[in-house]
Amino acid sequence: FPFPYTPYLIQERFMAALYGALEAGRVGIFESPTGTGKSLSLICGALAWLRDFEEKQRQEEARLLAQEEEEEDGGEEGRKRLPAAAAGGAGSAGEPGWVAAFVRKKEERDAVARLKEEQIRRKKREDRLEKIRHNVQLKYAAKRKRSEEDETKRLLQLSKEALSEGAGVDVLEQLDHNDEELILAEYESDEEKKVVSGPADDDDDDLEEEHVTKIYYCSRTHSQLSQFVREVQKSPFGKDTRLVSLGSRQNLCVNEEVRRLGALQLINDRCMEMQKNKHEKKSDEEMEGKKRRVSRTVCPFYSYEQMQFLRDEVLVEVKDIEQLVALGRETKACPYYGSRYAIPAAQLVVLPYQMLLHEPTRSAAGIKLKDQVVIIDEAHNLIDTITCIHSAEVSGSQLCCAHSQLLQYMERYRKRLKAKNLMYIKQILYLLERFVAMLGGNVNQNPSCQAVSQTGTVLKSINDFLFQSQIDNINLFKVQRYCEKSLISRKLFGFVERYGGPAAAVKTNKENQKLAGLQNFLLTLQQGSDKEGPLQNPSVEAENDQLRSASPLMQIEGFLSALTNANQDGRVILNRQGTVGQSSLKFLLLNPAVHFAKVVEECRAVIIAGGTMQPVADFREQLLSCAGVDPARVVEFSCGHVIPPENILPIILCSGPSNQQLEFTYQTRDLPQMMDETGRILCNLCNVVPGGVVCFFPSYEYEKQVYAHWEKTGLLARLATKKKIFQEPKKANQVEQVLVEYAKCIKRCSQAGGPMTGALLLSVVGGKMSEGINFSDDLGRCVIMVGMPYPNIKSPELQEKMTWLDKTMPRAAGQAPSRVLIENLCMKAVNQSIGRAIRHQKDFASILLLDHRYTRPAIFNKLPEWIRERTQVKPAFGSAFAELRKVRTCILCTT
């Protein structure tokens, strides 16, 4: 395998296993601990397979074309011999041999014709890209053309303004015209369109290009994707791989007017509206006889010619998201659509989870999975991710707010809306009314002032929810499609933006009163929602506020879409709290496999990869088995770590310094003696472990409780003489600051010497510190896990999932599937947290698991193999402490 340096042995094994899985069309679960060069192994293994596959394809094409030429040269003789040879035998289905031979010959000829077309297309594409790669003049010509077009547009705009100044248009009439863009266009359902116009021709047919065999690589965050692209750039494949990075409009939009909207849903809708305006502009221009009523805004970056240029630039050289956006600004072309046009010809497509795992997003982006390869990285949370993408929640405030906005909108434009629009608006209003009634409220009253009589959480099947809310007679598929096509939430947002603010310019007193009512209503809703608690991240909260008050219908559309799932695959949760405004409706997806099945069915091969994939039973049973994957198609690969065995010391500690047995169950963990024993263990460790110690607690509440207890008993002060104590903050925007201070403190202590030996960080499993943050080198010389972080078994959502699993899954090794789920969730969280310590080949750390239950075989076997094979079980604290002192002696020797 081509590699930028000499690979580790485990990297070679990883690449060989990956190559084999892709070649055999398998579904692979691959585990390679962080610090073992997983990204590079994925890149070099997968792209080496793709290069060989393309070479085989070319050889096969050449063979078929050569065969065709030979037969053409043979001419008449071959044709005469064919019937004679074929007449002797009969076809498989009993038809004469010459018929079978003729059919086979026709298929071969068709295949050759297709190959010739594909060759011509490929040659054109390669020539075009080669020209761009080597001809700088071409780029300058394109730039000059763009600046000339800009100048022409500017002059045209100036002359239009000069003309309109002398026209003296009536201001009130102008206002009325401005309302045009808020009014819904005439809507036809799909069935009507088919009757009227027959199958619609797509405008973008000329953009359709043959999809070459490619690899779709997806990860969770844009920063992980950018890091992956940088690894590709450094690899031996960096120069000649056609790679395209896909992202959301929020990440890729270069139109400042649209970017300023902030919230993703608003950006999406505004962009879609501009697209619609561009297509409608043509028909508007045809109606020259009629007076133009409104000037529709179109996006200046949505130019097919410029996007073609951007597409080719993207394919010529590997670029990450930031470079793509910079190129879009420079070329005045939309990176969001330009990158999509590059998909068919790309060999490697890099994209976030949501774009691949959510089918509507996938098809909208033009992603075709048929016979392609998909690699899902950082996949330890894949099941949760699919569940979250397809779940949706709306609050009582949002439902009432949307109802009020939509009612005001309908009243204002009733005379100007077509019958079909009115019908759908009334249906949506009825749905909102019934949803609020299900929460025990009245849609016409302020939700913050309506107390809920029966508080609590109720779970219902989709069908029961539809029947009980009396909406089973409404076709939700049609309503969902109407919302999507008519852009009603965008129109409603524009309406509230214009008339919901204090400076609303409206015509009549009657309408003024109505809109003032809407304004006050929105104000009370915002005040009501502000009571719920302090704001988290200012920018995130600002976005949420904007969406909550200005565009609740956008959130509700997601909930309506979720209700179209099959009855057995999900549940509706009615969460009734103090007031109707605080209550909510949530759709919970129980069977993520239904949404993953299509990916696995269509793809040639699927690779699910991660640093800590243990326990893998979840993936096999909940995801692959339920998605109908043949167990024989599934292949597992797990490799060890690159560190020497002596660089890691994992210990399961069964009792503390005063021989108190360590068992942190819900019943025993609050006992003062358990909290004291934990403190004594930490005091002893902080005396011998240099640098940073990270201690993980099962929850924020328990961490706070233990901290307060230590403060009271004076244990905290004893700890503080050796290590400065830091606590993980709950607010996301404060995490970075705490980590910087923690790292500075450790560096200061190691340089200064003295009694302070570093820092102690009290963290929480499942918090910000347990995933995606590296405690390499001195930042994490010891990682401690207090107890076993089992999920809250009283959660109605978890209980429903457990019931569903027990009904649908077989028992595994005598254990109920629900019990296995609980253990797996716990151990996934443990593995994620303890994997933070070792991040590269020369790193070293000790890991302490404080609970005797870790020794149970069912639990112990769920630890990652590279940790499990080096783990020592210590019944008493003395022998464990002696081992840790040995590690310290080794450290002092090496430093």
Side-chain angles (χ1 to χ4, degrees), residues 474-769:
I474 289 178
N475 186 331
L476 291 178
F477 290 94
K478 281 191 169 183
V479 173
Q480 183 198 348
R481 185 147 184 83
Y482 171 75
C483 291
E484 195 183 303
K485 292 290 174 191
S486 68
L487 295 174
I488 185 167
S489 52
R490 168 70 217 170
K491 304 281 183 188
L492 199 56
F493 174 69
F495 170 71
V496 174
E497 212 177 17
R498 185 168 298 173
Y499 296 121
V506 281
K507 283 160 68 175
T508 65
N509 284 336
K510 195 175 176 187
E511 277 173 353
N512 254 327
Q513 285 163 9
K514 277 184 193 172
L515 292 163
L518 166 64
Q519 199 178 314
N520 293 336
F521 184 77
L522 289 177
L523 204 62
T524 56
L525 279 184
Q526 261 176 313
Q527 287 163 354
S529 62
D530 287 345
K531 287 175 195 165
E532 289 171 28
L535 302 181
Q536 273 197 5
N537 182 338
S539 62
V540 172
E541 280 301 321
E543 182 175 313
N544 289 348
D545 273 352
Q546 190 182 10
L547 267 176
R548 193 160 48 216
S549 61
S551 194
L553 193 59
M554 292 177 184
Q555 307 285 97
I556 293 158
E557 281 177 23
F559 181 68
L560 288 175
S561 171
L563 289 179
T564 60
N565 274 281
N567 183 52
Q568 69 274 18
D569 293 331
R571 297 287 180 271
V572 179
I573 302 168
L574 283 77
N575 187 15
R576 299 189 181 109
Q577 298 301 323
T579 65
V580 171
Q582 292 166 335
S583 302
S584 66
L585 295 173
K586 181 177 182 179
F587 174 80
L588 171 71
L589 180 72
L590 293 174
N591 184 10
V594 290
H595 295 285
F596 195 60
K598 204 154 192 183
V599 175
V600 186
E601 277 164 27
E602 290 191 348
C603 290
R604 175 199 173 88
V606 176
I607 304 295
I608 303 167
T612 41
M613 299 297 283
Q614 289 292 338
V616 294
D618 279 4
F619 296 104
R620 268 202 321 267
E621 284 146 30
Q622 281 188 53
L623 210 54
L624 303 179
S625 172
C626 285
V629 178
D630 179 357
R633 196 185 164 198
V634 181
V635 59
E636 283 178 36
F637 174 87
S638 177
C639 64
H641 214 294
V642 289
I643 56 162
E646 63 273 12
N647 280 27
I648 182 170
L649 175 63
I651 292 175
I652 296 174
L653 191 58
C654 301
S655 59
S658 64
N659 290 328
Q660 167 76 47
Q661 190 188 38
L662 299 176
E663 185 175 347
F664 294 85
T665 61
Y666 285 116
Q667 291 78 31
T668 60
R669 70 182 192 181
D670 297 341
L671 298 172
Q673 60 263 39
M674 287 302 287
M675 294 192 271
D676 289 338
E677 197 74 338
T678 309
R680 280 191 283 271
I681 293 168
L682 253 79
C683 277
N684 280 294
L685 291 178
C686 289
N687 281 331
V688 295
V689 176
V693 174
V694 185
C695 181
F696 285 103
F697 289 89
S699 67
Y700 282 105
E701 289 69 33
Y702 188 57
E703 186 265 333
K704 259 165 65 179
Q705 188 184 343
V706 171
Y707 189 88
H709 179 78
W710 288 347
E711 215 166 21
K712 204 166 65 183
T713 59
L715 223 147
L716 205 64
R718 274 169 56 202
L719 274 171
T721 59
K722 281 289 175 188
K723 305 272 184 197
K724 185 169 181 190
I725 299 165
F726 292 87
Q727 284 176 283
E728 176 175 335
K730 250 188 172 180
K731 295 179 181 177
N733 60 335
Q734 294 172 2
V735 170
E736 192 61 38
Q737 188 188 340
V738 171
L739 281 172
V740 168
E741 290 300 319
Y742 172 72
K744 271 187 193 166
C745 175
I746 291 167
K747 194 174 179 185
R748 206 167 45 241
C749 292
S750 71
Q751 287 169 349
M756 287 283 276
T757 59
L760 168 65
L761 178 60
L762 304 178
S763 302
V764 175
V765 175
K768 305 291 176 293
M769 308 280 187

Side-chain angles (χ1 to χ4, degrees), residues 97 121 192 243 286 434 445 524 644 702 710 738 751 834:
R121 263 203 300 265
E192 290 169 323
L243 178 147
E286 285 160 18
R434 296 312 308 156
Q445 292 170 15
T524 56
Y702 188 57
W710 288 347
V738 171
Q751 287 169 349
I834 62 180

Side-chain angles (χ1 to χ4, degrees), residues 835-846:
R836 304 289 100 209
I838 302 287
R839 309 313 277 178
H840 59 83
Q841 192 184 11
K842 292 181 180 162
D843 208 352
F844 55 88
S846 47

Side-chain angles (χ1 to χ4, degrees), residues 256-270:
E256 285 307 319
E257 180 209 324
V258 179
R259 278 176 75 87
R260 272 199 295 270
L261 292 169
L264 176 63
Q265 190 70 51
L266 300 180
I267 291 173
N268 281 346
D269 277 16
R270 182 70 181 130

Side-chain angles (χ1 to χ4, degrees), residues 207-249:
L207 303 177
E208 198 57 47
E209 198 180 333
E210 194 70 28
H211 280 242
V212 302
T213 300
K214 59 176 62 52
I215 295 163
Y216 286 100
Y217 170 91
C218 61
S219 194
R220 280 185 313 155
T221 63
H222 280 289
S223 60
Q224 284 168 340
L225 293 171
S226 289
Q227 197 178 331
F228 179 80
V229 172
R230 285 193 289 277
E231 292 282 349
V232 174
Q233 287 167 334
K234 284 190 288 186
S235 80
F237 297 93
K239 289 278 181 281
D240 53 6
T241 297
R242 298 191 300 277
L243 178 147
V244 57
S245 296
L246 299 181
S248 64
R249 287 181 175 90

